[in-house]
Structures are given as structure tokens and as C-alpha cells.
Amino acid sequence: MALKVPICQLCWVSPAPTPSRDPGERWSFLVGQPLKTSFPSAVPGKEIFQRSCVIVSRKLSGLEEAMRIRRARELQSSVKVRKRPPLRRGKVSGKLLVPDHIPRPPYVDSGLLPELSSEHQVHNDEGIACMRAACELAAHVLDHAGTLVRPSVTTNEIDKAVHKMIIDAGAYPSPLGYGGFPKSVCTSVNECMCHGIPDSRQLQDGDIINIDVTVYLNGCHGDTSKTFLCGNVNEPTKRLVKVTEECLERAISVCKDGASFKKIGKRISEHAEKYGYGVVERFVGHGVGTVFHSEPLILHHRNDRSGCMVEGETFTIEPILTMGSIESITWDDGWTTVTADGSRAAQFEHTILITRTGAEVLTKC
């Protein structure tokens, strides 16, 4: 479950002025040598005549050429996409009950959003075993939830199925009651970046949906999410989903004991920018373990945040990519956050354990 960070004041740096140049240089032409073409006369005895032709080609600036290539690629890969109506809130049913014998996280029933813990969560062998069990359950629940994604199914039905599978395993659905969140799972459809509340809306053919599952088992949280395709999804959206998952994989590949956290944002941004996608800055990954959200905050965009990874610590990486603006609007429910321009967004998340030589993905089935 992504953590929202305050929008900080940004410092803008004015670009350096472009050196002046002769207009003729920018729009210069390459002129070839005259090419003489002969045309025979139709009347015997008459002279043949010649016409001199000059081949002219325009020299494009580097920016123009890049734009031309990009536009050509867009035209080659473009398909007609049926415009969809914006996401609308459905009816939200009451929260589901959890048996009394199942242990609850400390924040449940307080209605308050817990403060971010400043401590990194570094585990001993016993703690690592606890994390593996919680994350394994979360991964299996998410995998099952994905099998339910199809047209006409409501996100509320997905919530019920997730809730039942979690409590049947003797665990607690971590989102339920976290800061007043009313459901057991987050379901974010189409332009919803994250924290979508399950409701009565039916999934439509061509939708995408991120399902974010966190379980609390034996005192540890396991946190993971994935974006699923519903029915026949168009190619541009499929590409967004594929690239978002690739960004997560590339970010995990740079993680190990002693690696700097800022490498994560750099690797994600490099890959997303190749395809022209935006990387959302407002929501971040976080430390996870016995506490749901803690330091370190994992920024998914380019940044200069200090700090290095430590063997034995656990945290989430959960990039959100958009097809358009990375700016967002949060509905008046205080949770559902959508892209400001209505463009689609995709997200993938894993909880990882830092090792001496790399990272172990704890939430992989």
C-alpha cells in the first residue's frame, strides 16, 4: 500500500539561454550539383534540348529530427482507442467483520492515521521467517484476486474474496481500519493511481485494475500489488502495464547491502522515459515489517535522497507510471487518487529483503 508524501516546494532552475545563431544556419539547405537530363526531339533533325535540375534537401535540426522520428513511431503504433467515461464512485458497502481471535495491528479501530515510524526495519532470523510467511500469504491472496478480474465483476466482490482468504489463513487485512480506510484491499481502476476503495462498480471490458494486498500475520505485514488486464485491453495500455512491471524489476536489480536508495528512482526513471511515461512522485515505497509504514521512504523518481540499504532490512518498491500527467486529484473520500488529466496509470509492488549480494523478493509466488 503506497504511502503519500507531502507535496514540497520545488526549486526551479531556469535553462541556460540557447546560443544565438544565424537563421540561415538553422534553416540551411543542402544543394547538390546540377543534374542534366536530356529529352530527345520528336522531329527528325531537330536538336535535342537539355534541362538542368537541382536536387534540394532540407537540413533538419536535431530537435526536429527527434520529433519527426517520434511522431513517425506514434503513427506506426497508434490504434483507435474508444474514449471511456471517467471513473465514477459506486456504492460502498459496510466493512467486513474479522473474527475476534485474529490479532489486529495497533492502529485498528483508532480511526487515526499512524505516524510514519522513523526506524528502518532490520530483522534477525526470526523476524525474517515471520516476514517470509506474511509476504507469501499476501502473494497467494493477490494471485487469487487476479483470477477474479473479468468484465461485470465488481471491486466489492474482489474485496469480499480477499477478505475471506486472509481471515481463513488466520491473518488480518492490513488496510482495514488503517486511518479509517473502510475496506480490506485497495482496487484502483484505469486512471486511479492508488488507494481506490472497492465498491459496486462493475469492471468493464478493456479496464485495467491494480489490486493492492497487505496482510498482517503473526505480527508482520506483507505488502504487494499488481495491475491486471480486464478482457480486451488496447495495445497502448498493455504497453504501459508491461513497462511498469519492468520498472519494478529493474529497480529491484540494483538493490543490495550498501547500495544507495537513490539508485532505485534513477533506474525506474530511465526505463519509463524511454517510452514517454510519467513517474508519479506523490506516492512512495516504504519500510515494512512489524510496522506497516516506516523509513526508509523509497522515491521512484530521480532524486538525491541520502542513505544506503542494509542487509536484513525490508521495504517496498511500488512505482506508479502514467500515460499522461503525473499530477493527481484525491476524491473527497480522502483516499481515491486519480490522474488530473484522466490518463491511465499502472502500478506494481513487491516487498523485498536486502541481502549481502542482492535482494530477495518476498512477495513473489
Side-chain angles (χ1 to χ4, degrees):
M1 186 176 184
L3 185 65
K4 180 171 70 175
V5 293
I7 300 174
C8 302
Q9 184 176 5
L10 301 177
C11 178
W12 295 95
V13 180
S14 300
T18 305
S20 60
R21 61 168 65 181
D22 188 330
E25 179 185 348
R26 183 182 179 190
W27 305 107
S28 60
F29 289 86
L30 297 176
V31 182
Q33 295 297 318
L35 176 65
K36 293 184 178 181
T37 306
S38 298
F39 298 89
S41 172
V43 181
K46 295 288 186 180
E47 295 181 358
I48 61 174
F49 65 96
Q50 294 182 329
R51 174 176 295 172
S52 295
C53 300
V54 176
I55 299 176
V56 178
S57 65
R58 181 179 172 193
K59 180 181 178 181
L60 298 177
S61 70
L63 177 60
E64 288 177 302
E65 180 66 3
M67 292 176 66
R68 183 192 67 78
I69 293 172
R70 179 176 178 179
R71 180 58 182 159
R73 288 176 178 170
E74 288 175 347
L75 291 173
Q76 289 174 2
S77 62
S78 64
V79 296
K80 290 185 177 180
V81 180
R82 179 168 59 89
K83 187 173 179 61
R84 293 182 173 275
L87 189 65
R88 301 294 185 195
R89 190 197 333 263
K91 182 179 179 181
V92 179
S93 60
K95 74 176 185 178
L96 301 172
L97 300 178
V98 177
D100 291 338
H101 71 272
I102 293 178
R104 289 154 166 72
Y107 54 77
V108 173
D109 298 328
S110 72
L112 302 176
L113 193 66
E115 291 186 7
L116 177 73
S117 171
S118 61
E119 298 294 326
H120 289 223
Q121 302 192 62
V122 182
H123 308 276
N124 57 21
D125 290 344
E126 183 180 352
I128 290 173
C130 179
M131 285 299 296
R132 284 199 177 110
C135 289
E136 182 180 358
L137 174 60
H140 284 299
V141 172
L142 179 62
D143 189 56
H144 174 64
T147 66
L148 306 177
V149 174
R150 59 182 179 274
S152 80
V153 169
T154 68
T155 51
N156 194 54
E157 290 174 296
I158 294 174
D159 178 70
K160 287 181 179 178
V162 166
H163 181 89
K164 184 178 187 306
M165 189 171 179
I166 292 174
I167 64 173
D168 283 352
Y172 185 91
S174 301
L176 185 62
Y178 180 83
F181 193 82
K183 292 293 184 177
S184 300
V185 68
C186 298
T187 52
S188 303
V189 179
N190 294 337
E191 68 265 34
C192 185
M193 289 181 174
C194 61
H195 299 163
I197 298 176
D199 58 24
S200 62
R201 179 189 182 276
Q202 293 183 327
L203 293 175
Q204 306 297 312
D205 185 55
D207 282 350
I208 58 174
I209 175 174
N210 176 271
I211 301 176
D212 191 335
V213 172
T214 311
V215 306
Y216 182 69
L217 178 67
N218 298 327
C220 289
H221 296 272
D223 192 1
T224 185
S225 84
K226 180 178 181 179
T227 297
F228 296 93
L229 309 179
C230 180
N232 300 302
V233 177
N234 63 60
E235 290 303 319
T237 304
K238 284 183 180 178
R239 188 183 307 114
L240 170 71
V241 173
K242 179 175 181 291
V243 172
T244 306
E245 185 172 21
E246 290 171 351
C247 283
L248 174 59
E249 293 168 349
R250 281 163 170 74
I252 293 172
S253 72
V254 303
C255 296
K256 65 178 181 179
D257 180 47
S260 62
F261 288 110
K262 64 185 179 183
K263 285 186 175 181
I264 293 173
K266 181 175 184 293
R267 184 59 64 92
I268 290 171
S269 296
E270 285 175 346
H271 193 59
E273 288 164 3
K274 291 178 185 177
Y275 298 87
Y277 298 137
V279 180
V280 173
E281 300 178 8
R282 187 178 178 188
F283 297 96
V284 299
H286 52 87
V288 64
T290 56
V291 177
F292 196 172
H293 294 111
S294 75
E295 289 282 0
L297 297 183
I298 306 300
L299 308 185
H300 303 116
H301 59 285
R302 283 190 174 86
N303 66 89
D304 293 320
R305 188 176 177 86
S306 62
C308 293
M309 305 170 201
V310 177
E311 182 178 1
E313 77 173 319
T314 50
F315 56 83
T316 70
I317 305 176
E318 41 190 307
I320 304 173
L321 269 58
T322 66
M323 299 180 81
S325 172
I326 64 170
E327 301 303 318
S328 61
I329 298 171
T330 300
W331 289 1
D332 59 11
D333 60 25
W335 290 101
T336 308
T337 303
V338 298
T339 56
D341 61 358
S343 63
R344 287 187 166 188
Q347 181 184 30
F348 284 80
E349 174 188 10
H350 275 310
T351 296
I352 66 171
L353 166 69
I354 298 301
T355 68
R356 185 175 59 83
T357 58
E360 178 185 343
V361 179
L362 299 179
T363 45
K364 182 173 289 185
C365 281

